[in-house]
Each structure stands twice: as structure tokens, then as C-alpha cells.
Amino acid sequence: DADVTQTPRNRITKTGKRIMLECSQTKGHDRMYWYRQDPGLGLRLIYYSFDVKDINKGEISDGYSVSRQAQAKFSLSLESAIPNQTALYFCATMHANEQFFGPGTRLTVL
Amino acid sequence: QQQVKQSPQSLIVQKGGISIINCAYENTAFDYFPWYQQFPGKGPALLIAIRPDVSEKKEGRFTISFNKSAKQFSLHIMDSQPGDSATYFCAAKYSGGSNYKLTFGKGTLLTVNP
């Protein structure tokens, strides 16, 4: 089945470390997104990309960067992780107004 | 600035009851209103969606009611079942060909007791 996959699924890291979250999709969709989910705050958009050469900041991009290595791959990096970046991170694609989410990465920054 | 306000934050319903989750928006440029369902340990998935040219859309036990003049829309789950226990997000999308972003509400944790 065409799918959205995220690696790792769980990660514990320390303050100041650089970390990369990876997303791959086999749906053939051009549009890809990174969200973070926090209890009581819902889903907040970090970055999005409409094609390999198009990268856009979302509402909470500070402290994050992204790389669109190919149509199918969209990575999120935390250059210097801090504890308030502890959250559940979702990658998603979009086609015909519908978003297709990956299973999420639970990140803990100690 | 919260563009889509969702309530309640949590909801407990007995099996067989009706679950109602409400959302309100300010920006009249929104033209597509989906609801997403998220089970624990999973990513959200599209449940049902509506456009503002209709006042109601029904799919099985799930119904969206849309009030354009009040800028409100709601999800009704009839005959709620324990398997409906999940987090529900309303969302909205701006009109326009290049606006491929959804603005999400903060979510409602629904618990259906057996």
C-alpha cells in the first residue's frame, strides 16, 4: 500500500544535540508537511514543501530546519534540541485537499 | 491567533449516545472544512469533510452541520460506540489554488464508555 513512513518512531536525546527526523512517502504526492502535536495545542505546522525546490515556513519554524531531498523524502532537523521541543511529530502529504499522516515520531529532549 | 476554535477539549459519552463537537472560525476565506480522527499511537486520518455551499453532510453515523452565517460547524456522532473513542480535530482550508494548508483546531478527546 502507498504509505507515509517516519523514522525513528521514538527518540530520546539530550539538550543541545542535533537530531534529524525522516519522512518517506510512496504516494507520489508533491506536497509534504511537518507538524508537531502537543496536548491541548493540537497540530501546529512547522514547515511545508510543495515540491523539491519549494520550502516554506509554518507557524512555528523557529529552532527547526528541513530538507526536501526528493519528491518522496522530507526531513526535519533540530539543530540544537531543547526540552520544549519534546512533542509528537507528524509528517504528512496532501492530495486533493486531503492530508495523509505518517504514524508519528515521539521525541523527548532531556 | 487561533483561527479555528474547537470545543470542548474533552468529552465523555455513554455508549449509544450522541457526541457533539463544535468549531468556529473567523476568516470567511475558508472554503473547505474537514474533520480528522486520531486513535492513540496513530496519525490523524480524514473522517468527513464539507464545503460551505451545503448545510449538512452525513456519512454513516457521522454528520457535519455547517452554519455559514454563524461561521460555525460541528461534528455529530450518532449511536456513539467505544470504538469511536479518539481525538477529533476540525480544520479549515483557505480558498485559492495555491493555498494547500490546513488550519487545525486544538482537538477534542472523546471517550465513549461501554
Side-chain angles (χ1 to χ4, degrees):
Chain A
D1 287 340
D3 214 346
V4 181
T5 58
Q6 294 183 233
T7 56
R9 295 294 312 279
N10 289 281
R11 179 73 183 265
I12 300 173
T13 192
K14 295 182 178 180
T15 298
K17 294 291 187 181
R18 184 179 188 275
I19 184 169
M20 178 181 288
L21 308 182
E22 299 188 348
C23 176
S24 295
Q25 54 110 349
T26 56
K27 291 186 170 294
H29 297 163
D30 288 326
R31 304 180 196 109
M32 298 188 72
Y33 305 75
W34 276 103
Y35 292 90
R36 68 176 278 176
Q37 182 177 8
D38 300 274
L41 296 180
L43 293 160
R44 293 184 291 167
L45 183 62
I46 306 172
Y47 270 95
Y48 60 102
S49 169
F50 291 166
D51 64 42
V52 174
K53 297 181 180 180
D54 179 73
I55 304 289
N56 304 279
K57 292 183 177 180
E59 59 181 303
I60 54 164
S61 59
D62 287 348
Y64 301 95
S65 62
V66 290
S67 173
R68 185 80 184 267
Q69 300 96 323
Q71 187 212 32
K73 295 184 181 295
F74 191 36
S75 300
L76 176 72
S77 293
L78 288 67
E79 298 300 326
S80 180
I82 57 176
N84 78 358
Q85 291 177 312
T86 292
L88 187 54
Y89 290 85
F90 286 102
C91 175
T93 67
M94 179 180 268
H95 179 69
N97 290 332
E98 181 176 352
Q99 292 224 258
F100 298 85
F101 286 83
T105 294
R106 184 166 297 280
L107 176 65
T108 302
V109 183
L110 300 176
Chain B
Q1 181 185 6
Q2 186 182 355
Q3 298 195 56
V4 179
K5 294 184 179 181
Q6 183 172 346
S7 63
Q9 188 171 4
S10 63
L11 179 62
I12 300 174
V13 174
Q14 293 300 120
K15 179 182 176 181
I18 302 174
S19 303
I20 302 175
I21 304 171
N22 300 298
C23 283
Y25 64 98
E26 290 295 325
N27 197 323
T28 56
F30 288 136
D31 72 342
Y32 175 74
F33 302 89
W35 285 88
Y36 280 75
Q37 180 187 54
Q38 182 185 26
F39 293 108
K42 304 289 187 181
L46 179 65
L47 179 63
I48 187 172
I50 197 169
R51 291 196 178 274
D53 53 344
V54 297
S55 60
E56 184 175 283
K57 183 173 182 180
K58 184 176 181 179
E59 291 184 1
R61 296 184 294 108
F62 299 90
T63 300
I64 299 178
S65 296
F66 189 86
N67 186 329
K68 188 174 182 178
S69 61
K71 291 186 284 187
Q72 295 175 347
F73 59 109
S74 59
L75 176 69
H76 296 237
I77 306 174
M78 310 301 289
D79 186 26
S80 298
Q81 299 296 312
D84 297 329
S85 297
T87 299
Y88 292 82
F89 294 98
C90 63
K93 176 184 170 294
Y94 284 108
S95 61
S98 63
N99 290 303
Y100 296 105
K101 292 190 298 177
L102 293 178
T103 299
F104 286 90
K106 293 186 175 183
T108 297
L109 178 61
L110 171 65
T111 302
V112 181
N113 288 328

